[in-house]
Amino acid sequence: MRDPAHPDTRDLAARFEEEKPGRVLSGPVGTLFTGITVAVALLALRQVFFPLPQGSKYYLIIFLAGVLPVLFLAYPSGVRRSTERAGPTVLDWVLAAAALVVCLYPVLPFALGAGGGGYDAFLDRQGLLDPLDVAFGTGLLLLLLEACRRATGWILPAVCLLFLGYGYYGGLLPQSWPVAHAGLDFGQLVDAFYNSDSGFYGTPLDVAATYIVLFTVYGAVLDLSGAGRFFVELSAAAFRRSRTAAGRTAVASGFLLGTVSGSGAATTVSIGAVTWPILRRAGYPAERAGGMLAAAGVGAILSPPTLGAAAFIIAEYLGVSYLQVLGWATVPTVLYYLGILLSVEIDARRSGVRPVVVDTGSAWRLLARFGYHFLSLFVIVVVLALGASAMRAVVIATVLAAALSFLDRRHRLTPARLVAALRDGVRGVLAVSAVCAAAGIITATTTKTGLGPQAAALLVSGAQAVSSEPAVVLALTAVLAAVALSLLGLAVPVTASFVIGWVIIGPALLHLGVAAPAAAMFVFYFAVLSEVSPPTALAAVAAAAVTGGRLVPTMWQTLRYALPAYLIPLAFVVTPTGLGLLGIGGPGRIALAGLVSALGVAVLAVAAGGWLPGVGPAGVPERLLGAVAGLVLLWLEPLPMAIGAALAALAVAGVYVRRGAGRPSVVESVNPGEDRE
């Protein structure tokens, strides 16, 4: 069984992550890179217990001055293919030096004409920047755009430039247009980016420099301690005697490996490298197996206790603890994996999947020997429940994971391996930091121009043009918002997609009375789902690369497995009862919303898979009835729930009648290779 941390697996994963693969730095450059990244990691750890006295913004300036220069060393320009495997070029060194200077300029302790003069003097010039301030701010703007281009591609820089152009030229738009504004000159824009709390040093970068960097370090420590291999082996051992062992192993592995990897595509490749041979021996078609792997991989970043980076931004935007965000995600996670597991059970019967003997030890023996890997995860939740910050919780968990690594001779975190973990953790946050800083262009422009409320009004007006009924307007707005967020996520990374969605689409949902937690989690889910949404669907592309399956059918299979993740967010936005899915509203509401939604997910799984477990195949009429029933059930109001339950009962009765009429109730094709739906 291949280790998920195997170099070949990591290289394949890098091809499909949102961030482009970087250089392999060695020799003196590698030593320099290691030294700087370890220093950044130690600074982030120090900030948790001994914050810099100058304040959080001062820390963000120092943090960005540490990560932005080394990003230019780690990521090639991509102008020439030959530079991707070579070391940094002269241009890379020049850009790294320039990044260091422009990042440190706000804290330079000496005057440069009317500029410079130290951190306090820089803050005092807010709104009245010196031309030198504008020059350095412009330099940082350009360097961040280039850093994002290197790390994520052209689209995010293009979006940032679009917002920049809107801020500068928006005053020329006809003032009768809803999106017109008074206009901003370039100096005002740079001031908003460089010297305000909503620009480069705003909440997204704050989250990257505090929460995300610490969780990536924790993930690197956990990975090097052997946790990734243990999670996969435990998943295989737990289901080794089940007919659906192969599918269950893939799903469980995705859930557990999400604690180590924050990327859906990377998790997909990691579990695929291990479980695809098992799925193939069981008889799964390549496309169906790929869809399962992609859905399980993306589910990993939707699942507690380590959600995707945008979840930390939710906590900061709403001023709540990270533990509350984890609570909001718990029931949707259960429903998501319920849908996947039901689809696995259905596929096992419909495709004629064969039992496979997985060569692994007893699950109880594995737990007894390596179950300590779970302790650090439990510690995060316990420490959060005791009222500590997420930063302190993850630092404690990291120390514990490092100490427990000495229980396994093969994965002891010696000083050299600990340095490697710190380096890999910071390297994992380089691209995220650039994206978060560049997101300040979007948030600052939106704040300065008032674009958020204007765009929200347009979205709501579009829904009101169809109907004046409040419930219909809310539902249509939610659907339009879901489509917009899905399209946005195809173009930009998840973190940037969430930030843009929150400042543009979030106000529309809040205006219609949606609770802030529901609106924020709605935006979060659809930002993450971009990894499985055609035509890009990075996780599905990664899965197809692993299985060798056809790309488009793999994407459609992924959508089928991930269907609950698209529908549950709509459920907790359109009705007050839906807040129960976020654990809000008391035990009665939570139980009602959870049980009815579980029924809806189950009916939808049967409709999509065409099989009722324990009975037999469902025909087209039953599948259509089931699909309508599932959708209606997710409208969590008394009348729709009653109608949905009645339709679901009719669909089940139809399957029984079909079986009793003598239709075949065994698998229709014993050759799974023929099933390509």
Side-chain angles (χ1 to χ4, degrees), residues 372-436:
Y372 60 82
H373 286 300
F374 285 114
L375 289 177
S376 63
L377 294 170
F378 292 144
V379 162
I380 291 178
V381 178
V382 171
V383 174
L384 286 173
L386 292 175
S389 68
M391 295 177 290
R392 287 179 180 255
V394 74
V395 170
I396 294 171
T398 302
V399 173
L400 178 61
L404 292 173
S405 71
F406 285 88
L407 296 176
D408 185 355
R409 182 183 303 175
R410 299 169 300 171
H411 297 100
R412 291 175 179 172
L413 254 69
T414 60
R417 300 184 80 229
L418 183 58
V419 166
L422 295 175
R423 178 200 63 208
D424 293 346
V426 174
R427 177 158 190 158
V429 84
L430 293 181
V432 175
S433 299
V435 168
C436 288

Side-chain angles (χ1 to χ4, degrees), residues 177-203:
W177 288 15
V179 294
H181 60 85
L184 299 168
D185 62 40
F186 191 72
Q188 290 175 304
L189 288 169
V190 172
D191 178 76
F193 301 153
Y194 200 32
N195 201 359
S196 78
D197 293 333
S198 62
F200 300 144
Y201 304 110
T203 297

Side-chain angles (χ1 to χ4, degrees), residues 126-216:
Q126 185 173 354
L128 297 169
L129 292 188
D130 183 79
L132 191 62
D133 299 330
V134 175
F136 277 99
T138 303
L140 182 55
L141 168 66
L142 295 175
L143 287 167
L144 282 172
L145 293 176
E146 169 61 10
C148 287
R149 185 197 66 80
R150 289 181 176 221
T152 67
W154 283 100
I155 296 179
L156 179 58
V159 172
C160 291
L161 288 173
L162 181 64
F163 274 82
L164 179 64
Y166 170 72
Y168 188 72
Y169 292 108
L172 302 179
L173 296 173
Q175 292 302 302
S176 59
W177 288 15
V179 294
H181 60 85
L184 299 168
D185 62 40
F186 191 72
Q188 290 175 304
L189 288 169
V190 172
D191 178 76
F193 301 153
Y194 200 32
N195 201 359
S196 78
D197 293 333
S198 62
F200 300 144
Y201 304 110
T203 297
L205 182 61
D206 188 18
V207 168
T210 52
Y211 299 103
I212 300 174
V213 66
L214 295 174
F215 271 86
T216 55

Side-chain angles (χ1 to χ4, degrees), residues 243-244 246-248 251 279 282-285 287-293 295 339-354 556-558 560-562 605-613 623 667-669 671-672 675-677:
R243 178 183 179 184
T244 54
R248 292 180 182 179
V251 175
L279 293 168
Y284 277 93
E287 292 79 10
R288 185 156 291 183
M292 182 193 307
L293 293 172
I340 295 180
L341 288 173
L342 284 172
S343 296
V344 168
E345 298 295 324
I346 290 169
D347 286 349
R349 290 154 178 79
R350 182 179 181 184
S351 299
V353 170
R354 300 180 294 271
W556 288 117
Q557 290 294 335
T558 303
R560 181 171 67 86
Y561 278 104
V606 171
W611 193 280
L612 181 62
R623 295 176 72 175
V667 293
E668 297 167 349
S669 172
N671 182 3
D675 187 356
R676 297 290 186 184
E677 291 186 15

Side-chain angles (χ1 to χ4, degrees), residues 512-565:
L512 292 174
V514 176
M521 294 300 287
F522 178 90
V523 176
F524 168 71
Y525 275 97
F526 280 102
V528 172
L529 287 172
S530 63
E531 291 210 16
V532 291
S533 299
T536 53
L538 291 178
V541 174
V546 172
T547 65
R550 294 172 296 167
L551 182 55
V552 174
T554 299
M555 288 183 179
W556 288 117
Q557 290 294 335
T558 303
L559 283 177
R560 181 171 67 86
Y561 278 104
L563 183 62

